[in-house]
Amino acid sequence: MLGCLRGARVRCWLTLTSGLVECLCFAGAVFGWASLMFVLKAEGYFSYLCVNATGLNGTHYTDCSGQDERFSLVFTIASFMNNFLTLPNGFLFDHFGTMAARLLGISLYTTGTLLIAFSHAATSVLLFPALSFIAVGGILLLVTNMQVGNLFGAHRSTIITLYNGAFDSSSIIFLIVKVLSEGGISLHYSFFFLSACSVIHLMRTFILMPKTHIPYPLPEGYTYGMNCGQTRAYALDEAGKGEGRGSLHGDGGTENAPIHPASTEQAPPTASFKSSVLSWFFLWHLVWLSVMQLRHYLFISTLNPMLNRLTEGDPTLVSRYTNAFAITQLCGVLCAPWNGLIMDRHKGKRRAPGETEQEADLRSAVLSLFLTALQCLLFSLCATTPILPLQYLSFALQVLNRSFLYGGNAAFISIAFPACHFGKLYGLMMALSAVVSLLQYPCFSLVKGVFDGDPLYINITLTLLSLTAFIHPLYVFICCRRMANQRNPAARRLANGASASSTNGDTHQNIPALS
C-alpha cells in the first residue's frame, strides 16, 4: 500500500472503514423501497386512489391498484434518476473532483430526507422529488467512495465490489424505519435523524477524503486530507492530460505527491472517450447491465403487490415477507467481496509471457461476468414461480445477484477502459441503462391492466430476456483467447520490443471497436 506511511497509513484505513459505513448506512437506502412503501401505505399516502369495487361474486372490497401504480411510478422515476444523472455527475466528478461531487450529493440527500420528514398524506406528491434526491445523492456518495480502492492496489477490485455490496445492503435502513414505525416512532422523526447525519458526511468530506482524486497507481509518498502539507501536482506528460493509469476516476492529479523522474516519462497512448463508447466491450456490457437491472427494478417495485397476491391480502404475511426481503438485503455487503476476490484472484501470480496487466484482468473478469448472468437467470426463475415459500430463495438470489451486478459493473469499467474516462463511462453506462429501466412502469401497467394483476407472462418474458446477458462474458472470453493467440513466439519476434513496452502498463489500446 504505497504512500500510507506513518499517520497516512491510519488515514487510509479510516477512509476505508468510514466509507464502508457511509455506503452501508446511507448510499443505497432507496432500494429498501418495499419496506418504506409498507409504512407509507399505513400512513395513508396516495390513499385517495383507493376506490370501492364489487367482485364477480357480488362482494365489496377496496381496490387499491391505483395506489400501487402510483407508488410504482415513484420508484420508477427515482431509480431512473439514480442512474441517468450519474452521467452529468460523472463529468462533474472527473472535472471538479471529490469535494465538489460530495457536497452536491450531500445536499441532494439531505433535501430528500427533509422532504419526507415534512410530508404527510395530503402532500404525497412530495415523494416524487424526495425519493429522487435520495437516490441521486446516494449514488454520488458511492461513486466518490469507490476510488478508495486505489489505496489498496492488490485488492482494488475487491474493495470496489465491497463498497457496492454495502450500497446494496443500505436498503436495510428503510426496514429499520419500518420497524421503528411499528414500535411507535414516527416516520418523520426517523427522517429528521437521517437528515442530521449529513453532518457526519460533511466532516468526512473535509477530513478523510481528497479534494481532487486518488490516483492509480499511487505515487510513492502519496498523502491526502487535512494536515498533509501544501498540495503538489503529480507531474504527468501534458499531452496525455493525465490519461492512462492516472486515476480510477479522474485526471491523474494528486493531493500531495512528490515528483519523481519516472512520472515525467512519455505516457503511453490511450483510447479516446469516443472510441471507448463505440466499442463492443461497452455495448455488450450495457446489454449485460441493462437486462439484469430491469429485472431487479421490476421485482422491487412490484414486490408489495406480488406478496399481496400470493398471501391473498394477509397483512401479517405481507409484513413478514417484506421484513425477510429487507433483512436479506443486509447480506449484500457479505456477498460482494466474493466477486472482488474472483476478479482479483490472479493478482500476485506470474502472468503469461507477453500478457499485459489489462489482459490478465479481463481474463479474470470472465468468470465474474458469467456467474452474475447465471445468478440472474436462477433468481428470475424463482421469482416467476408463484409459490410463496419459494420467494425466500428469490430474496437470497436477488441480493447475491445485485451485489455481483453493481460491483462487477464498476470493476469491469475500471479494467476494460482508460482510468481517466471512468467517471464519464460509468455515468454514461448508468444513464443508458436507466433509459432501459423505464420499461418497468409499462410492464407494471400491463400486469395491472391486460393481465389482471398476474405477472406470470411478464416474468417469463424477462427471464428469456435475461439470457442475453450471457453474450457479454462469452464475447470477453473470445477476445481474451484471440489476444492469447496473438502472443505466440513468432508474433513477439515480429513485434520486436513493441509488445514488451506494452506489457509494462495498461494502455487500453486494444478495445474492440464497433466498426
Side-chain angles (χ1 to χ4, degrees):
M1 189 170 57
L2 293 175
C4 293
L5 306 173
R6 302 191 187 95
R9 180 185 298 272
V10 177
R11 184 181 293 113
C12 287
W13 283 101
L14 283 175
T15 300
L16 173 65
T17 54
S18 62
L20 186 62
V21 172
E22 183 174 77
C23 289
L24 182 61
C25 295
F26 302 97
V30 67
F31 294 105
W33 173 244
S35 299
L36 182 62
M37 180 178 170
F38 190 92
V39 179
L40 294 173
K41 276 189 170 184
E43 295 281 340
Y45 284 72
F46 297 123
S47 58
Y48 61 88
L49 295 173
C50 293
V51 296
N52 295 322
T54 304
L56 296 177
N57 55 1
T59 58
H60 296 280
Y61 68 97
T62 302
D63 181 10
C64 289
S65 59
Q67 183 189 34
D68 289 337
E69 190 170 353
R70 187 61 55 87
F71 278 125
S72 177
L73 182 60
V74 171
F75 181 76
T76 299
I77 293 175
S79 57
F80 171 77
M81 299 295 285
N82 173 75
N83 288 351
F84 188 77
L85 289 185
T86 309
L87 176 58
N89 289 337
F91 278 89
L92 170 73
F93 187 29
D94 280 349
H95 289 281
F96 295 100
T98 303
M99 183 175 293
R102 284 184 61 83
L103 290 177
L104 174 61
I106 294 168
S107 299
L108 290 173
Y109 194 94
T110 308
T111 302
T113 53
L114 285 174
L115 283 175
I116 295 182
F118 284 111
S119 69
H120 47 82
T123 57
S124 303
V125 70
L126 288 178
L127 292 177
F128 284 97
L131 208 67
S132 295
F133 286 157
I134 292 173
V136 177
I139 196 68
L140 269 170
L141 294 178
L142 172 65
V143 170
T144 55
N145 274 307
M146 283 192 293
Q147 62 181 323
V148 174
N150 293 349
L151 298 172
F152 305 83
H155 306 287
R156 185 181 178 215
S157 295
T158 302
I159 291 174
I160 291 174
T161 54
L162 179 63
Y163 274 123
N164 279 270
F167 176 84
D168 291 336
S169 295
S170 63
S171 58
I172 194 71
I173 295 302
F174 283 171
L175 171 63
I176 295 174
V177 171
K178 174 180 178 292
V179 172
L180 291 176
S181 177
E182 292 172 341
I185 297 179
S186 169
L187 169 74
H188 308 290
Y189 288 145
S190 296
F191 275 89
F192 276 128
F193 176 78
L194 290 175
S195 303
C197 288
S198 295
V199 175
I200 301 174
H201 305 321
L202 288 173
M203 292 175 60
R204 186 169 179 272
T205 299
F206 292 112
I207 298 175
L208 291 175
M209 294 296 286
K211 183 178 179 181
T212 53
H213 305 95
I214 300 174
Y216 183 79
L218 289 181
E220 185 179 352
Y222 172 79
T223 56
Y224 63 95
M226 296 182 65
N227 302 321
C228 291
Q230 295 182 350
T231 299
R232 299 172 62 188
Y234 181 50
L236 289 171
D237 183 77
E238 189 64 25
K241 297 296 182 184
E243 296 184 353
R245 302 182 66 198
S247 165
L248 173 62
H249 301 300
D251 54 4
T254 72
E255 293 296 297
N256 186 29
I259 298 177
H260 297 281
S263 66
T264 60
E265 295 177 359
Q266 177 69 31
T270 61
S272 66
F273 174 70
K274 180 180 178 181
S275 64
S276 298
V277 173
L278 299 178
S279 68
W280 287 109
F281 274 177
F282 188 89
L283 173 65
W284 290 124
H285 191 64
L286 176 63
V287 173
W288 177 86
L289 173 66
S290 298
V291 296
M292 289 191 279
Q293 180 175 260
L294 175 62
R295 187 67 191 93
H296 284 280
Y297 280 1
L298 189 64
F299 181 77
I300 294 172
S301 65
T302 60
L303 179 62
N304 188 267
M306 180 194 73
L307 292 178
N308 274 302
R309 181 180 180 86
L310 294 180
T311 62
E312 298 181 349
D314 186 336
T316 303
L317 277 177
V318 172
S319 179
R320 181 191 305 169
Y321 275 84
T322 300
N323 290 349
F325 172 73
I327 291 172
T328 56
Q329 301 305 297
L330 186 60
C331 298
V333 70
L334 304 177
C335 300
W338 291 105
N339 192 22
L341 292 173
I342 291 173
M343 302 187 79
D344 283 337
R345 69 187 187 279
H346 66 291
K347 300 290 188 181
K349 298 180 181 179
R350 181 177 298 178
R351 298 198 297 266
E355 185 180 42
T356 66
E357 183 180 352
Q358 183 203 14
E359 291 168 3
D361 289 342
L362 283 174
R363 176 170 48 81
S364 186
V366 172
L367 180 59
S368 170
L369 297 172
F370 172 79
L371 288 176
T372 306
L374 180 62
Q375 292 162 4
C376 183
L377 178 61
L378 295 175
F379 152 65
S380 190
L381 287 172
C382 290
T384 301
T385 307
I387 300 175
L388 184 61
L390 187 62
Q391 299 316 306
Y392 286 122
L393 181 58
S394 296
F395 299 161
L397 288 170
Q398 191 268 346
V399 69
L400 176 66
N401 187 227
R402 265 184 60 85
S403 62
F404 268 61
L405 177 63
Y406 289 108
N409 170 49
F412 181 81
I413 293 174
S414 70
I415 289 170
F417 303 102
C420 58
H421 302 317
F422 179 89
K424 298 182 286 292
L425 289 171
Y426 182 81
L428 181 60
M429 183 72 68
M430 298 301 285
L432 293 175
S433 67
V435 176
V436 178
S437 71
L438 287 175
L439 292 173
Q440 63 181 299
Y441 186 69
C443 286
F444 185 85
S445 298
L446 279 174
V447 170
K448 284 295 182 182
V450 177
F451 300 120
D452 194 28
D454 187 356
L456 178 63
Y457 297 107
I458 292 295
N459 284 333
I460 291 174
T461 302
L462 290 175
T463 301
L464 295 174
L465 186 63
S466 66
L467 293 174
T468 60
F470 288 95
I471 298 175
H472 185 36
L474 177 62
Y475 180 74
V476 176
F477 174 77
I478 292 173
C479 286
C480 290
R481 289 292 298 271
R482 185 184 302 134
M483 288 186 287
N485 291 335
Q486 292 173 351
R487 291 194 307 269
N488 58 70
R492 290 201 300 275
R493 285 197 299 271
L494 289 174
N496 293 324
S499 63
S501 63
S502 67
T503 305
N504 297 327
D506 182 1
T507 62
H508 295 87
Q509 296 184 78
N510 297 320
I511 300 176
L514 285 171
S515 56

